[in-house]
């Protein structure tokens, strides 16, 4: 065996990064070898995305250095040089939705012939580029119309066309269903075989084992360990992330209580139909937690959104506590007692310019202010309590939400939904982007809400979220095709979601 030392493709050493009073990285380290898929894991706010910003040259470090292939990283101002080294695919698209795939691939470097952009060459070159990397997407498709997984592949192809062979995926699977995740992994493996190196960030630890060879753990802004995934079993990995034993984590979990089958019906929907679903009848009892499962395009998200005023049925009715629930109006739904954790927390969830405290209490200002104006102290105390209950990693209620890490922003959205003391809580992928330990505290919040008599409708792709439900309804092509009372086995639910337990 050769003992020659392999030069790392990427190396970050002694990285320190501060944002005002927050030290986002105190001891950031990373060594990625050429050709591997390397996982970067850690709890919400551990510093993963901060490290990505530094590795892609989007932000300067306060201390430490980054090297590519043994050479110092380019100066920050030289964006082209960085693009030839590395690219990151985020959850939020960095492509322009109104442009076609071809245009996005060659934006700002269109093939020019005699001073004019040659559209024909643009299309051919785009088609060639996509074919080279085996990406089956129509170059003429409008990017906005692409599925998330195809959009991600277009972004990867674009990065490769700049010459980068190091691709960072920051939570690429958070918005994908099981099949889409499998397809992404197949494509990652194929690209890895063609010499592409990946840094892969995910809160789904089983994915780390499925697709990566090495894992680096960050905790509280510090490097904790780097090891082959085969030498770090799940238990050790979770303990490295959390800094405490699994037993200690388990002790903090709350046992869900039993359902009251005689509780009065709170939500009753009849014959709900829209382009996304058909003829849905649904009842949810007071204090009941009902899960909605299904592949992408099953209509589960639109159905749940309908009750929160985010999607409008074309026919059918819904009653909440006997009163007709208005459709198509978020404010009216909120007034009727429906709170929602929406799918897209960036666009629908938070007001970026406002503080965490203001965002969390926005929907309750009325209530807090019932006897006069809202006392700042009162609001602050209320927000502080929510921050503690949901384990939000922040400097305090006065910090703007735009400073928060992805998972912590998600918790603020949940805090806000709970703060309005809803009769019906609609949760869409509530734990997407939330770390393993915080998931527990978020789901425990769901349990305590139901104890106060709140009914919950949860849409999720995660079995752990659905396991907490009293029953799970499975949608397929817009229809409810199965109902599973609590206690189902994973394989049963998966089979029914995938439609493999049905004929035809
Ligand atoms: N622009 C900013 N201004 C102030 N603080 C910031 C900023 N960006 C990040 N932080 C803080 O730095 C810390 C690390 O955030 P980072 O986004 O790197 O976490 P993460 O590991 O990616 O978490 P998640 O899993 O939730 O995405 C957090 O405490 C966060 O609030
Ligand atoms: Mg992040």
């Amino acid at each position: 065996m050769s003992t020659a030392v392999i030069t790392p493709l990427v190396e970050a050493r002694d990285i320190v990064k501060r944002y005002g009073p927050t030290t986002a990285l105190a001891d950031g380290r990373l060594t990625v070898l050429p050709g591997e898929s390397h996982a970067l894991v850690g709890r919400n706010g551990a510093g993963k995305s901060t490290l990505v910003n530094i590795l892609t040259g989007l932000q300067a470090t306060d201390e430490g250095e980054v090297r590519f292939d043994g050479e110092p990283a380019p100066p920050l101002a030289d964006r082209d040089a960085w693009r030839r080294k590395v690219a990151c695919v985020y959850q939020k698209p960095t492509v322009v939705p109104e442009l076609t795939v071809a245009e996005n691939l060659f934006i700002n470097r269109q093939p020019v012939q005699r001073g004019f952009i040659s559209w024909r060459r643009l299309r051919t070159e785009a088609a060639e580029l996509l074919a080279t990397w085996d990406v089956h997407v129509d170059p003429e498709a409008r990017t906005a119309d692409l599925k998330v997984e195809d959009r991600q592949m277009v972004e990867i192809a674009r990065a490769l066309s700049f010459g980068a062979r190091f691709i960072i995926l920051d939570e690429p699977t958070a918005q994908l269903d099981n099949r889409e995740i499998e397809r992404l992994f197949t494509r990652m493996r194929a690209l890895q075989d063609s010499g592409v190196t990946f840094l892969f960030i995910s809160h789904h630890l089983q994915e780390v084992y499925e697709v990566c060879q090495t894992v680096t753990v960050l905790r509280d802004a510090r490097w904790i360990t780097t090891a082959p995934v085969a030498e770090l079993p799940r238990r050790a990995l979770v303990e490295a992330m959390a800094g405490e034993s699994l037993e200690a984590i388990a002790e903090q979990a709350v046992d869900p209580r039993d359902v009251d089958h005689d509780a009065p019906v709170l939500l009753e929907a009849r014959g709900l139909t829209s382009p996304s679903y058909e003829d849905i009848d649904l009842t949810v009892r007071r204090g009941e937690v009902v899960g909605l499962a299904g592949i992408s395009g099953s209509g589960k998200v639109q159905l749940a959104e309908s009750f929160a005023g985010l999607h409008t049925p074309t026919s059918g009715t819904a009653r909440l506590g006997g009163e007709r629930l208005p459709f198509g109006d978020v404010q009216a739904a909120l007034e009727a007692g429906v709170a929602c954790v929406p799918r897209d927390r960036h666009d629908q969830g938070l007001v970026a310019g406002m503080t965490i405290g203001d965002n969390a209490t926005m929907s309750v200002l009325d209530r807090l202010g019932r006897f006069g104006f809202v006392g700042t102290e009162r609001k602050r105390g209320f927000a502080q309590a929510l921050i503690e209950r949901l384990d939000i990693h922040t400097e305090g209620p006065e910090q703007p939400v735009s400073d928060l890490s992805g998972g912590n922003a998600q918790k603020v959205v949940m805090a806000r939904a709970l703060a309005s003391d809803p009769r019906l809580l609609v949760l869409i992928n509530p734990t997407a982007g939330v770390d393993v330990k915080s998931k527990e505290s978020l789901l425990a919040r769901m349990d305590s809400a139901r104890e106060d008599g709140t009914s919950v409708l949860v849409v999720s792709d995660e079995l752990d979220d659905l396991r907490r439900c009293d029953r799970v309804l499975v949608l397929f092509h817009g229809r409810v095709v199965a109902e599973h009372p609590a206690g189902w086995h994973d394989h049963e639910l998966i089979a029914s979601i995938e439609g493999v337990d049905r004929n035809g």
Side-chain angles (χ1 to χ4, degrees):
M1 264 189 67
S2 153
T3 51
V5 180
I6 306 167
T7 308
L9 184 66
V10 185
E11 193 171 21
R13 275 190 232 159
D14 309 322
I15 304 288
V16 176
K17 177 69 189 173
R18 298 181 201 93
Y19 296 103
T22 311
T23 303
L25 281 175
D27 175 19
R29 297 185 217 169
L30 184 73
T31 303
V32 181
L33 300 180
E36 70 177 353
S37 288
H38 193 119
L40 180 61
V41 302
R43 295 196 57 198
N44 297 128
K48 303 179 296 296
S49 297
T50 304
L51 187 54
V52 170
N53 287 340
I54 286 163
L55 291 173
T56 48
L58 289 178
Q59 279 174 353
T61 57
D62 293 319
E63 287 168 40
E65 63 162 352
V66 176
R67 301 176 84 85
F68 292 103
D69 244 335
E71 305 282 320
L76 285 198
D78 192 352
R79 291 305 307 155
D80 286 342
W82 279 90
R83 262 195 283 271
R84 288 193 291 273
K85 304 278 181 217
V86 50
C88 179
V89 177
Y90 299 90
Q91 265 188 53
K92 285 218 90 175
T94 57
V95 284
V96 186
E98 295 77 30
L99 298 184
T100 65
V101 169
E103 288 163 343
N104 263 305
L105 286 173
F106 291 100
I107 198 164
N108 297 332
R109 48 171 183 155
Q110 295 91 341
V112 175
Q113 233 158 27
R114 282 184 245 108
F116 293 96
I117 294 174
S118 162
W119 295 106
R120 176 140 38 114
R121 257 187 61 204
L122 181 76
R123 279 193 295 272
T124 345
E125 287 187 17
E128 277 168 16
L129 171 62
L130 293 169
T132 308
W133 299 104
D134 211 19
V135 178
H136 303 280
V137 174
D138 177 6
E140 309 230 30
R142 223 168 60 100
T143 312
D145 299 335
L146 293 185
K147 289 185 290 186
V148 178
E149 52 169 328
D150 288 333
R151 192 263 299 164
Q152 289 174 336
M153 288 312 294
V154 169
E155 293 197 33
I156 292 176
R158 183 178 59 175
L160 296 169
S161 76
F162 283 112
R165 290 297 176 267
F166 177 52
I167 307 284
I168 303 175
L169 302 171
D170 194 349
E171 297 190 41
T173 60
Q175 303 290 347
L176 301 181
D177 72 21
N178 283 336
R179 266 193 239 182
E180 292 163 338
I181 292 171
E182 278 315 314
R183 281 201 292 268
L184 173 70
F185 287 177
T186 307
R187 287 158 143 179
M188 273 178 73
R189 290 190 193 101
L191 289 171
Q192 206 186 340
D193 288 342
S194 328
V196 178
T197 303
F198 287 99
L199 184 68
F200 177 80
I201 299 179
S202 177
H203 290 292
H204 301 130
L205 299 182
Q206 77 280 6
E207 296 176 356
V208 168
Y209 292 97
E210 207 176 324
V211 85
C212 295
Q213 294 80 50
T214 316
V215 54
T216 290
V217 181
L218 294 181
R219 185 173 77 231
D220 294 337
R222 293 177 183 279
W223 173 86
I224 299 296
T225 185
T226 296
V229 292
E231 288 171 21
L232 202 65
R234 190 186 151 91
R235 178 192 184 85
L237 184 57
V238 173
E239 290 179 351
M241 287 170 60
E244 56 189 335
S245 72
L246 273 192
E247 288 76 13
I249 297 172
E251 269 171 27
Q252 298 155 31
V254 190
D255 281 331
R257 52 121 239 196
D258 289 332
V259 217
D260 177 2
H261 293 284
D262 299 323
V265 168
L266 176 82
L267 175 72
E268 180 160 31
R270 290 277 161 257
L272 282 193
T273 299
S274 91
S276 306
Y277 49 76
E278 220 182 308
D279 203 16
I280 304 274
D281 291 340
L282 176 77
T283 54
V284 180
R285 291 182 181 281
R286 198 165 174 270
E288 191 181 25
V289 180
V290 174
L292 294 179
I295 54 174
S296 296
S298 63
K300 61 179 196 278
V301 172
Q302 291 80 359
L303 178 60
E305 284 180 345
S306 302
F307 303 115
L310 290 164
H311 179 91
T312 312
T314 46
S315 62
T317 57
R319 296 186 162 273
L320 192 73
E323 306 266 324
R324 203 182 171 109
L325 184 67
F327 288 135
D329 183 342
V330 178
Q331 195 54 39
L334 194 62
E335 277 160 24
V338 185
C340 181
V341 169
R343 170 164 54 172
D344 191 337
R345 54 182 177 258
H346 304 284
D347 294 346
Q348 303 163 342
L350 293 170
V351 183
M354 279 169 45
T355 65
I356 296 166
D358 287 339
N359 265 289
T361 55
M362 210 153 64
S363 51
V364 271
L365 288 182
D366 278 353
R367 212 151 43 86
L368 288 177
R370 193 165 293 159
F371 307 105
F373 66 94
V374 187
T376 324
E377 271 316 302
R378 185 117 189 264
K379 198 170 79 184
R380 197 171 192 288
F382 190 84
Q384 188 59 45
L386 282 171
I387 287 171
E388 277 158 30
R389 267 165 52 186
L390 286 157
D391 191 13
I392 299 171
H393 190 292
T394 166
E395 299 292 331
E398 261 79 66
Q399 209 180 5
V401 281
S402 45
D403 286 3
L404 287 179
S405 76
N408 285 302
Q410 172 78 346
K411 293 185 219 167
V412 175
V413 181
M414 180 79 162
R416 194 182 61 189
L418 287 170
S420 71
D421 224 347
R423 292 203 282 171
L424 176 67
L425 187 58
V426 174
L427 306 175
I428 301 176
N429 285 331
T431 63
V434 172
D435 70 61
V436 270
K437 191 173 168 221
S438 298
K439 243 174 223 177
E440 269 309 315
S441 48
L442 212 73
L443 293 173
R445 284 298 111 217
M446 183 171 101
D447 287 333
S448 50
R450 64 141 48 152
E451 246 146 64
D452 303 335
T454 300
S455 308
V456 189
L457 203 55
V458 195
V459 175
S460 183
D461 297 318
E462 306 227 5
L463 297 183
D464 287 343
D465 299 357
L466 297 170
R467 228 184 298 284
R468 310 289 273 242
C469 300
D470 298 312
R471 58 197 164 94
V472 177
L473 304 179
V474 177
L475 275 85
F476 197 73
H477 291 318
R479 287 179 174 275
V480 176
V481 292
E483 176 170 334
H484 298 266
W488 38 264
H489 293 287
D490 290 6
H491 62 90
E492 292 167 352
L493 190 69
I494 292 169
S496 113
I497 289 172
E498 299 288 329
V500 293
D501 59 346
R502 288 181 293 279
N503 299 322

